[in-house]
Amino acid sequence: MILVTGSTGNVGRNVVRELLAAGEQVRALTRNPTGCGLPAEAEVVEGDLTRPETLSAALDGVQRAFLFPLFGELEAFLGHARRSGLDRIVLLSSSAATFTVPGWIGEAHRGNEAQVRASGIDATFVRPTLFMANDLSWAEQIASAGVVRGPYAKAATAPVDERDIAAVASAALTSTRTLDHVSLTGPESLNPSERVGIIAEVLGVTAEYEEISRSQAHAHLVREMPPQAADFMLDQLKDAAEGGAEPVSTAEAVMGRAAHTYASWVGHRSADFRR
């Protein structure tokens, strides 16, 4: 039995599907089992990493687990995992954990990794770069005005498809050997203007990218995340605008296939862009 926490998120939902396709028994932990939309083959149980009283039952009979990176909330899970005899954890981390200057987000992921290592349970850290799914935040702007407004139009990054993150996590969960970590990027270096152009082409709409100031972008981001996280994200985009990002990934060898392109991802999530 493999437990998937964060099972209704962009990555967790795909981890459930990948594991079921591989013939594994899957238990999916979610705060709201009713209407979660997970496959019927998965055992869906109610639980929450912030509610320790739900974790003992969730881990009963489980051998391995995919762990969602909820900052500051992993201690109770790891305690229950040790007592239940869990033999492997695959933690969703971030490429920011490897940065020389990791910033607020990188430090938070480093803290998660340190906690998991200290548990003594064999672990794999899956470290993706920016998610392609972050660009779903552009959907309303594209639908309403055909203009996406954001900072640093020349900031080239190599975002990764959540299906690829899930495929790596699933492979790490089912492998006969423990991988220490896997770093993931997407296969292409693309700036925001290029990504909006791909979205427009795949969806058959007209859309363009309009650059706004850092202060305007910061004011928008802090509605969705802590100020430290907004500062870190904007710093990374500033660096990318000055130097760009080359795709560097070890994921293909783990997945056994090529990574999904950005155009492939847009096609996969086209309904979400049109919703």
Side-chain angles (χ1 to χ4, degrees):
M1 178 71 74
I2 299 176
L3 177 69
V4 178
T5 67
S7 62
T8 58
N10 282 314
V11 177
R13 189 176 293 276
N14 282 288
V15 173
V16 170
R17 293 187 180 122
E18 287 278 346
L19 291 171
L20 289 173
E24 300 293 336
Q25 288 183 289
V26 179
R27 181 176 294 158
L29 189 71
T30 177
R31 293 172 179 168
N32 184 17
T34 304
C36 64
L38 291 169
E41 298 88 347
E43 178 191 347
V44 180
V45 298
E46 182 177 356
D48 190 333
L49 292 176
T50 66
R51 293 166 53 205
E53 70 276 9
T54 67
L55 300 177
S56 181
L59 282 159
D60 184 38
V62 168
Q63 284 75 51
R64 298 181 177 185
F66 172 77
L67 185 55
F68 182 81
L70 196 60
F71 300 146
E73 299 288 351
L74 302 187
E75 184 177 354
F77 177 89
L78 294 171
H80 282 288
R82 283 193 300 269
R83 289 188 290 273
S84 70
L86 202 72
D87 62 31
R88 184 177 301 171
I89 289 172
V90 173
L91 173 69
L92 179 59
S93 187
S94 168
S95 60
T98 68
F99 293 172
T100 304
V101 181
W104 181 83
I105 292 176
E107 288 289 1
H109 282 289
R110 282 185 179 183
N112 279 351
E113 291 190 7
Q115 274 192 294
V116 172
R117 283 200 193 280
S119 74
I121 301 170
D122 283 350
T124 297
F125 304 130
V126 179
R127 296 169 175 162
T129 185
L130 296 172
F131 290 17
M132 292 181 185
N134 292 351
D135 290 353
L136 289 172
S137 64
W138 295 344
E140 186 176 348
Q141 295 182 76
I142 291 171
S144 62
V147 178
V148 174
R149 294 179 175 85
Y152 301 113
K154 295 181 180 179
T157 59
V160 61
D161 191 315
E162 58 270 21
R163 292 174 293 178
D164 293 339
I165 302 170
V168 167
S170 176
L173 284 163
T174 57
S175 174
T176 56
R177 63 187 181 93
T178 304
L179 307 170
D180 181 77
H181 65 273
V182 184
S183 299
L184 294 86
T185 70
E188 307 158 288
S189 183
L190 299 166
N191 65 43
S193 182
E194 291 169 328
R195 301 203 307 273
V196 169
I198 292 171
I199 293 169
E201 181 177 358
V202 173
L203 299 183
V205 300
T206 300
E208 60 183 18
Y209 191 82
E210 181 181 294
E211 185 169 312
I212 61 175
S213 70
R214 179 185 176 115
S215 61
Q216 288 174 305
H218 189 273
H220 174 74
L221 288 171
V222 294
R223 301 173 193 165
E224 308 292 335
M225 62 183 69
Q228 311 98 302
D231 288 333
F232 174 79
M233 184 174 292
L234 290 168
D235 287 343
Q236 293 305 304
L237 291 175
K238 179 177 181 292
D239 291 345
E242 294 171 352
E246 292 298 323
V248 178
S249 182
T250 56
E252 287 84 354
V254 177
M255 294 188 295
R257 61 166 174 78
H260 288 290
T261 64
Y262 191 79
S264 169
W265 172 80
V266 175
H268 177 65
R269 301 303 298 264
S270 60
D272 297 294
F273 275 104
R274 292 190 169 100
R275 190 166 295 153

